Each structure stands twice: as C-alpha cells, then as structure tokens.
Amino acid sequence: MARDIQQVGVVGLGTMGAGIVEVFARSGLSVVAVEKDDEAVARGRGHLEGSTGRAVARGKITEADQQQLLDRVHFGTDVGALAEVDLVVEAVPEHLDLKRAIFGELDKVCKPETILASNTSSLSITEIAVATGRPGKVVGMHFFNPAPVMKLVEVIRSVVTEQDVVDDVEALVQKLGKVDVTVGDRAGFIANALLFGYLNHAVSLYESNYASREDIDAAMKLGCGLPMGPLALLDLIGLDTAYEILDTMYAQSRDRLHAPRPVFKQMITAGLLGRKSGKGFYTYD
Ligand code: CAA
C-alpha cells in the first residue's frame, strides 16, 4: 500500500515552485516552502496570494477557502524546517551543481525515509541522486507550467530509484488530481524531448524573418488546435529556462534540432525572459 504523504516541502519558489506549493495546498497537504532569502520568500508568497486571489475573483473558491489554503503553507528560509516532511520537491533554477548541493543538504536534514524529488525539466536524476546518501529515495517529479492547471506530472526513475518510491509518488500525483506518466532518466523525459525541437524550430522561423511572431503563433494555435502558439508558450516557460533545457538536451543528443537558436542568448542577455520579466517575444502589463 502506498504511504500516506501528508506533510511536504518545496524548495525554490519561482514560477514553478510557487505553483507546486499551490497544487499541494489545494489538495489539503501541509506545506513547508523554503527559499534562499526573505525577498525570494516574499515573491513566492506574493505569487501564491495572487494566484489564489484570482481564483476567488473568478468565484472558484471562497475567501475562507483561500485563507485555509494559505494557512496550510509555512514559508521560511531555513532548510532545517524540512526535517519532518514526508517528501520534498526541489524547484530551483536548472543548474546541476546547485541542485546537487541542495540535495546534499536535504539528505542531512530530512528523516531517512523522506522522498527527495526534483522538478528538473531535463537534468539527470541519477547525477542529482548520487549527491545524497539515499539515491534509492530520489526521483523526478516534473510538473508543467502553469502547475495548478496542467494535468500531467512526469515521474522519473533512475536505475537505482526504489520501486516503492515510484509507487508512492504515482499515488501522490493521483491524490493531487493529476495524471502520472513514468519515464526513465533521459534528457527531456517524454514531453520536453518532443516539445522543445518544435519550439526551437519556431524561433528559427522568427529569427530569419520568415514570418511574424503573431503569424507563427496563429498558425499553430488556429491551424493545429494548440492552446497557444510556440512563441507565446516560450514566454510562459521563460526564455532562460527554455535555453537551459535545450542546451542540456543538445549536450546529450547532439541533435541540431536542440541546439538553442542564437536569439535566445541575445534576448536573455537583454533581460527579455518572457512573462516573468514583463517582456519576451511579446510585452506584458
Ligand atoms: N496559475 C494558475 N492558474 C492559471 C494560470 C496560472 N499561471 N494561468 C491560467 N490559469 C487558470 C485560469 O485561472 C483558468 O482557471 P478556471 O478555468 O478555473 O477559471 C484556466 O487556467 C484557464 O485560463 P484562462 O481562461 O485565463 O486562459 P486560457 O484558457 O487561454 O488558458 C493556459 C491558459 C492554461 C496557459 C493555456 O493557454 C494552455 O494550456 N497553454 C499551454 C501551456 C503549456 O503547454 N504548458 C506546458 C509548457 S512546457 C513545461 O511546462 C515543461 C517545462 O519543463 C518547461
């Protein structure tokens, strides 16, 4: 029988981490949410308050529901607060050294049976796992943006992940009202391995002035029935995150399809990161 996971932790409260906190808290779980400093904690808290506030404004939840949800989340900067949780999801930026350092720290503070999960989009779960003394309890738990809306969670098992751990995480995903797919440890897993070649190709059309951004997006949205066009989707994902994912996949596959188009670096250098910085391929209020 799957273990009953009641208390969870989330490390990193950017777009994905804050969204994952919301998913857990909406399902009635108690969440310890950790960031590196007070400013980052305030941003994460603001994200959660804003998102649940919009749900109140749309009549999806009441103000009392929102308050109960917020009360279930305990914010802070101390990783030590994760000592008693059953599972931690790490959602910090896509840098292997940073993730390995955090997993090393989590391994020291969390009880031995705690499952340590990474929300990485493309980095190796195996390389993260071996930074701990419990590689069998390390797994990938990959949510999609926006986490409160997208139904899928990819569960990534390394060659040493214990089957019980995979079973427990799959059961948790279902408890969250989401759908799990299980996949081995290969850059991009399933969805990003298929999606990012397409997104990179769209950027190449844009870069060569082959068509306007609006027409590229309209073609895929209206011609192919996708919820949004590729350039609008890149703005949602964040150009820095998309670049890291492509770069990791390219390093592993050496497939030119995944070689990040030059305009990514130029836009990132200019601070055009997409929605999170107010400007990417499009401008946001
Ligand atoms: N946080 C929380 N809820 C959100 C949200 C957000 N950021 N954005 C939208 N929503 C909610 C809205 O509140 C609304 O909820 P209700 O139906 O309960 O009222 C619902 O989503 C629909 O929103 P809208 O009506 O405002 O807009 P929409 O119908 O155009 O949908 C969208 C917006 C869900 C983003 C949709 O355009 C979509 O599905 N886009 C594709 C997203 C996608 O492909 N994501 C995967 C990216 S790849 C990835 O994430 C992997 C990775 O590793 C980078």
Side-chain angles (χ1 to χ4, degrees), residues 143-156:
F143 290 79
F144 289 77
N145 189 0
V149 183
M150 305 311 283
K151 282 282 184 195
L152 185 72
V153 179
E154 289 177 321
V155 179
I156 299 103

Side-chain angles (χ1 to χ4, degrees), residues 111-184:
K111 53 188 182 180
E113 62 272 29
T114 301
I115 297 173
L116 304 180
S118 175
N119 179 56
T120 183
S121 304
S122 57
L123 295 173
S124 164
I125 296 300
T126 314
E127 286 188 51
I128 295 171
V130 296
T132 74
R134 61 178 92 183
K137 300 224 172 331
V138 176
V139 69
M141 203 174 169
H142 182 217
F143 290 79
F144 289 77
N145 189 0
V149 183
M150 305 311 283
K151 282 282 184 195
L152 185 72
V153 179
E154 289 177 321
V155 179
I156 299 103
R157 49 171 164 70
S158 78
V159 286
V160 288
T161 310
E162 292 161 19
Q163 187 57 46
D164 280 2
V165 168
V166 174
D167 294 345
D168 290 344
V169 172
E170 286 172 351
L172 175 63
V173 170
Q174 289 157 26
K175 182 171 161 181
L176 299 174
K178 298 202 180 278
V179 175
D180 55 287
V181 293
T182 305
V183 53

Side-chain angles (χ1 to χ4, degrees), residues 51 58 60 121 142 144-146 149-150 192 227-228 233 237:
S51 183
R58 283 168 173 256
K60 300 285 173 187
S121 304
H142 182 217
F144 289 77
N145 189 0
V149 183
M150 305 311 283
N192 284 350
M228 62 205 308
L233 181 55
I237 292 168

Side-chain angles (χ1 to χ4, degrees), residues 251-267:
Q252 196 174 94
S253 69
R254 287 287 146 198
D255 184 340
R256 298 279 320 151
L257 188 67
H258 294 136
R261 299 300 309 171
V263 79
F264 272 107
K265 259 279 184 276
Q266 293 163 17
M267 291 177 72

Side-chain angles (χ1 to χ4, degrees), residues 182-232:
T182 305
V183 53
D185 188 16
R186 177 179 178 275
F189 315 128
I190 299 176
N192 284 350
L194 297 173
L195 176 66
F196 273 75
Y198 150 71
L199 294 179
N200 204 29
H201 196 176
V203 172
S204 125
L205 296 185
Y206 171 75
E207 212 177 30
S208 61
N209 291 319
Y210 187 74
S212 69
R213 60 187 178 186
E214 289 83 4
D215 286 358
I216 292 170
D217 278 355
M220 296 314 291
K221 194 172 165 185
L222 305 178
C224 299
L226 299 179
M228 62 205 308
L231 302 178

Side-chain angles (χ1 to χ4, degrees), residues 100-117:
R100 283 170 54 90
I102 288 173
F103 272 72
E105 227 179 308
L106 292 173
D107 189 37
K108 285 198 202 103
V109 300
C110 295
K111 53 188 182 180
E113 62 272 29
T114 301
I115 297 173
L116 304 180

